[in-house]
Amino acid sequence: MQSVNDNSAIEASHVAAHDRVAELRAIYDSRDASAAWLLCDQWGESAVAYRVISPDLSAEDITYGELRRESERFAAALFELGLRPGDRIATLMGKSREYLVTLLGIWRLGAVHVPLFTAFAPSAIAMRLNGSRARAIVCDEGQRGKLSAEGDVAMPSSLLVISTGQPGQEGYSFAGITEQHEPGFPAATLGPDAPLIQIYTSGTTGDPKGVVVPLRALAAFRTYAEFGLGLRSDDVFWCAADPGWAYGLYFGILATFSTGTPSVLLQGGFVPETTMEILFREQVTNFAAAPTVYRALRSADLVVSGPLRLRCASSAGEPLTPEVNLWARSVLGVTVHDHYGQTEAGMLINNHHHPMLHHDVRPGSMGHAMPGWKAVILDPEKDVELAPGQAGRVAMKVSESPLMWFTGYDGDSAKTAGKFTANGEYYLTGDNGLVDEDGYFRFSAREDDVIIMAGYRIGPFEVEASMSTHPAVAEAAVIAVPDEVRGEVIEAYVVVKDGTVSSPELAKEIQRWVKTHYAAHAYPRAIHFIGALPRTPSGKIQRFMLKQRRLEELGVRA
């Protein structure tokens, strides 16, 4: 039982956290707010922003002074090409020095960043470029080939392409146009409502939806950096998530830039041995990654080269399973804290690292609502708040959530309406869960069928749409099944066209088709051929029936 002194200390912490949220809102809600100043220029000339580590583990530091000068030159080049504040500029780039300069150059100009995941196939890229009305794209030279309009893929006709290839090649060269300009391009000052990012999320009932992130959302992102991640000025931070997705961009990039915390940026894909070596060699103190990273490290059963300095480890993107922390406490020396959020909001509910908001981590819980957000559980039928212990819809009360920045999907009023209750009082996360008497929230299920694999949110509709373009496929439905390492993996049920014979060879061909026509990470790991898909009377596919059948086959309880 808590004492009066304990309760007083908790109340004082809540007041202090509330005051800090108000301070951050004042900074990012200022009418003269400048993204370049807030994310780069305010930090010391010689302060290290990132240590960029190559696949061969060679490293290069980049300071805020270098980022300022190089992004000023790149912004000047963009301006000369005719790009202006508000224009959408996409990136199709891996993690690199050029990527960091590109982001700051876009924001210095006052333009809007459209992130693209490098595993996307041309059709997925074209949809996002056309949907955002992008005027330009900056890409790695190895990604340039995806931008050719072929077949049914229609790229924007007037798209400016800037690649990291050598000057003199087709299109514009990043180095070539940057070197033609001197530093000194003035930073745009556009205020809190100016769009900063246009990022796409997916669901089950249509195309991916565009989320426009305004500058003032940085207040929410920094609040999470300070309270959720517990970032300190003396940290060495490493967020292993890919910045082509929301968590990696919001908190692998913007959390660093907004706090000035020195960070690690690793080029190339995830390798367990490399990850453990960097945690040791760089003496990382604060680490964030998807649960699949921790599970893969656990499965690899690696011997650490020497003592680690980790004081904080965080997980986001999917629920964290208990066995991870049984391993983490003995090998990493810390407990991994589970965090919960969305593309449309940033992080909402966390097992916070900041000592001001410390609570014991309870297995299976995603923690407490973050300062600046009022999280509740709603009755799914009446949209009224439920008492602790009752399962319902996880929602945020808008009037008591000063960090709320999402106002709707770009050009999609119908989908926007579905994210709020009819009276606009609550923001609906689309997830189900419950909260206990101590304020701990637990995730139970997603309302839609979005699949979370290795931290990536994958909409079945996009995968199914890609599969349906295969000449042999009449219909397809995608489900998620449990996976020890990735959390979930995609499996598909396929109805073949008349006259087509199903076979293992055809299954492999369909898998390759999804890899090349949608995204390399989102192909179905297994394909089951079926005579007909289960449907509702209105014709909607009943994916839950397919999933229930598959789980029974696997001997897994639903």
Side-chain angles (χ1 to χ4, degrees):
M1 184 174 181
Q2 289 182 325
S3 68
V4 174
N5 288 339
D6 289 336
N7 290 332
S8 297
I10 292 171
E11 180 63 25
S13 293
H14 288 167
V15 170
H18 175 81
D19 290 345
R20 180 55 179 161
V21 168
E23 290 174 1
L24 292 175
R25 288 187 64 209
I27 293 170
Y28 296 104
D29 280 352
S30 171
R31 288 186 299 175
D32 59 356
S34 164
W37 167 260
L38 292 167
L39 299 176
C40 177
D41 301 354
Q42 67 166 313
W43 308 118
E45 172 80 13
S46 60
V48 173
Y50 281 92
R51 169 158 287 187
V52 181
I53 301 177
S54 301
D56 65 2
L57 299 188
S58 60
E60 171 195 33
D61 287 347
I62 181 168
T63 68
Y64 279 102
E66 291 171 323
L67 282 173
R68 178 180 58 78
R69 289 187 293 275
E70 292 177 33
S71 64
E72 286 174 346
R73 297 171 73 183
F74 186 61
L78 294 175
F79 186 85
E80 187 175 83
L81 290 174
L83 295 159
R84 297 293 182 267
D87 284 342
R88 270 54 175 172
I89 302 176
T91 60
L92 186 61
M93 307 174 76
K95 291 172 276 191
S96 65
R97 183 187 189 103
E98 291 84 358
Y99 174 71
L100 298 173
V101 171
T102 295
L103 293 185
L104 287 171
I106 290 170
W107 294 326
R108 191 173 296 281
L109 177 66
V112 183
H113 173 225
V114 181
L116 299 173
F117 185 40
T118 53
F120 278 145
S123 58
I125 294 168
M127 192 288 299
R128 289 158 176 82
L129 292 177
N130 287 308
S132 64
R133 301 168 295 280
R135 291 199 57 208
I137 183 170
V138 187
C139 66
D140 290 335
E141 181 60 25
Q143 296 282 336
R144 181 203 287 268
K146 294 181 179 179
L147 302 177
S148 300
E150 297 179 355
D152 295 332
V153 178
M155 297 290 173
S157 58
S158 58
L159 186 71
L160 294 172
V161 178
I162 303 166
S163 82
T164 56
Q166 295 300 313
Q169 295 182 349
E170 182 183 356
Y172 296 97
S173 159
F174 176 90
I177 63 173
T178 302
E179 290 168 358
Q180 295 174 15
H181 296 84
E182 295 296 323
F185 190 86
T189 300
L190 302 177
D193 294 319
L196 192 71
I197 297 163
Q198 183 160 339
I199 191 169
Y200 281 78
T201 185
S202 24
T204 58
T205 58
D207 290 333
K209 301 173 285 293
V211 177
V212 178
V213 183
L215 185 148
R216 59 186 170 84
L218 292 173
F221 300 163
R222 183 163 176 179
T223 298
Y224 171 69
E226 293 185 8
F227 289 107
L229 295 171
L231 287 185
R232 302 189 320 209
S233 60
D234 61 347
D235 267 330
V236 176
F237 177 51
W238 183 16
C239 176
D242 193 290
W245 299 93
Y247 191 84
L249 178 58
Y250 295 172
F251 308 114
I253 302 297
L254 293 175
T256 293
F257 283 163
S258 65
T259 62
T261 307
S263 295
V264 169
L265 193 73
L266 175 64
Q267 297 177 304
F270 167 71
V271 178
E273 292 79 5
T274 300
T275 299
M276 291 300 289
E277 177 62 24
I278 291 173
L279 287 173
F280 164 67
R281 197 187 69 177
E282 299 300 330
Q283 292 292 278
V284 173
T285 61
N286 199 316
F287 181 61
T292 186
V293 168
Y294 295 104
R295 286 194 290 265
L297 292 174
R298 173 178 175 267
S299 298
D301 194 24
L302 301 171
V303 177
V304 184
S305 300
L308 301 178
R309 289 188 59 218
L310 276 177
R311 64 175 192 86
C312 295
S314 304
S315 172
E318 56 186 311
L320 188 69
T321 44
E323 78 279 359
V324 169
N325 270 325
L326 293 175
W327 164 84
R329 283 189 284 268
S330 63
V331 177
L332 300 181
V334 294
T335 298
V336 181
H337 288 208
D338 196 10
H339 297 165
Y340 168 83
Q342 300 193 317
T343 299
E344 298 94 333
M347 305 310 286
L348 300 166
I349 300 169
N350 312 301
N351 287 289
H352 298 94
H353 282 289
H354 196 292
M356 187 186 296
L357 298 179
H358 171 75
H359 292 87
D360 292 335
V361 173
R362 295 182 180 176
S365 169
M366 53 194 184
H368 291 73
M370 192 172 79
W373 296 93
K374 172 65 173 178
V376 300
I377 302 297
L378 294 182
D379 183 295
E381 301 296 331
K382 303 176 182 178
D383 285 336
V384 296
E385 294 182 25
L386 294 174
Q390 294 182 283
R393 310 168 86 181
V394 180
M396 303 293 139
K397 190 168 185 177
V398 175
S399 63
E400 297 182 39
S401 298
L403 291 179
M404 180 84 189
W405 53 264
F406 175 78
T407 57
Y409 296 114
D410 182 50
D412 197 333
S413 57
K415 287 292 192 298
T416 297
K419 292 299 290 184
F420 297 90
T421 53
N423 60 7
E425 187 175 357
Y426 298 96
Y427 166 80
L428 304 173
T429 65
D431 292 321
N432 292 330
L434 56 82
V435 61
D436 65 20
E437 293 283 355
D438 298 322
Y440 284 86
F441 281 81
R442 292 179 180 271
F443 172 90
S444 59
R446 293 178 294 280
E447 288 185 7
D448 61 15
D449 292 318
V450 170
I451 298 165
I452 301 179
M453 184 181 73
Y456 299 130
R457 294 180 67 87
I458 301 168
F461 178 85
E462 282 194 284
V463 183
E464 291 165 359
S466 175
M467 294 175 68
S468 67
T469 63
H470 188 282
V473 175
E475 290 184 306
V478 165
I479 63 168
V481 298
D483 181 81
E484 183 176 352
V485 173
R486 298 180 180 88
E488 292 179 337
V489 294
I490 297 171
E491 293 192 3
Y493 285 83
V494 171
V495 179
V496 298
K497 292 183 178 178
D498 291 342
T500 300
V501 178
S502 59
S503 67
E505 290 74 23
L506 178 58
K508 292 179 181 178
E509 183 181 325
I510 295 170
Q511 288 172 322
R512 289 193 295 270
W513 183 273
V514 175
K515 288 181 182 180
T516 57
H517 288 76
Y518 173 52
H521 70 294
Y523 75 95
R525 267 51 179 186
I527 290 180
H528 312 281
F529 294 102
I530 191 171
L533 298 176
R535 295 182 180 275
T536 65
S538 63
K540 294 181 180 179
I541 296 174
Q542 294 177 305
R543 294 187 185 90
F544 77 93
M545 293 185 66
L546 295 172
K547 184 168 184 176
Q548 183 177 17
R549 176 193 305 181
R550 183 60 177 145
L551 293 180
E552 289 175 354
E553 292 173 352
L554 295 172
V556 177
R557 294 180 62 185

